[in-house]
Amino acid sequence: ALLFTTPCLAQDTDADGIPDAVEFDLGSDPAHAEQFTLLHHDGIIGEDDESASGTYESAPDFVDIYLANVAWDRWLWKITFADDYVGDGNTFILYLDVDRDLTTGRQDNDSVRGTDLMYTQVNGEFGLAEYTRGLRSDPLRMAVVGNAIYICADLPLGEGNADGQVRFRVLSHVSPPNT
């Protein structure tokens, strides 16, 4: 499901910053506030940012990456940006190595070797690439709300505890024309 919302106009019963309609579409409970754990703080460009190179500095700047367990094997990623996220003209990728095995999944690029699933937003369109069979969960559940991208996935990360259970990498850049 592709969903872009304006948070100030939407009801948020549990006051967790995610509108109820978005929580419903993502597969989380609108009556129960998500308990996010900060996995990575990247900082803001010019302050404490960890940009891969100067060519990415004009892209939407992600600041924090969070993860919450919303049901047995259902996980909700929250990637926040310095400003409201605009999909048009931009690319976002979340690379996940769910099985933590570098010999499975994507093998064509050392920086993302072992990637089992790749969640994408390219020019406002969400997508999912599966590199290790059997890990993909349907339907694709992603949303943009203000300065955050949310990705909800059913993954075997461990009952309520993802610490050390998944490797990830995030990329944000300006989309090349005609992609």
Side-chain angles (χ1 to χ4, degrees):
L2 173 62
L3 188 61
F4 286 82
T5 68
T6 305
C8 62
L9 302 177
Q11 180 177 347
D12 182 12
T13 301
D14 58 13
D16 62 0
I18 310 170
D20 292 353
V22 174
E23 287 200 57
F24 180 79
D25 287 343
L26 290 171
S28 64
D29 184 352
H32 177 76
E34 273 55 56
Q35 301 298 312
F36 285 99
T37 299
L38 178 64
L39 298 180
H40 178 74
H41 173 72
D42 188 61
I44 297 173
I45 289 177
E47 293 179 16
D48 54 352
D49 187 55
E50 297 178 27
S51 292
S53 73
T55 60
Y56 292 105
E57 290 189 9
S58 62
D61 182 29
F62 71 88
V63 177
D64 292 314
I65 302 168
Y66 299 91
L67 185 62
N69 182 238
V70 297
W72 184 262
D73 274 339
R74 181 160 294 168
W75 299 90
L76 182 59
W77 294 83
K78 177 182 178 182
I79 298 88
T80 61
F81 293 81
D83 298 305
D84 282 355
Y85 187 83
V86 177
D88 289 338
N90 294 304
T91 296
F92 164 83
I93 304 172
L94 172 64
Y95 302 90
L96 293 180
D97 179 2
V98 177
D99 62 9
R100 295 190 55 85
D101 183 349
L102 294 176
T103 66
T104 63
R106 190 169 167 183
Q107 299 296 308
D108 64 323
N109 184 317
D110 284 342
S111 68
V112 293
R113 184 174 310 282
T115 295
D116 300 307
L117 299 170
M118 195 170 83
Y119 290 87
T120 62
Q121 182 290 140
V122 179
N123 289 319
E125 297 290 325
F126 290 124
L128 172 60
E130 179 184 33
Y131 293 95
T132 301
R133 291 182 162 271
L135 290 178
R136 180 181 178 155
S137 62
D138 289 319
L140 177 60
R141 296 183 305 260
M142 296 177 70
V144 171
V145 178
N147 76 328
I149 292 180
Y150 293 92
I151 301 166
C152 192
D154 296 342
L155 299 169
L157 300 183
E159 182 183 337
N161 181 4
D163 291 345
Q165 298 295 318
V166 64
R167 288 184 327 110
F168 65 92
R169 182 178 179 127
V170 171
L171 178 64
S172 175
H173 65 85
V174 175
S175 298
N178 302 321
T179 59

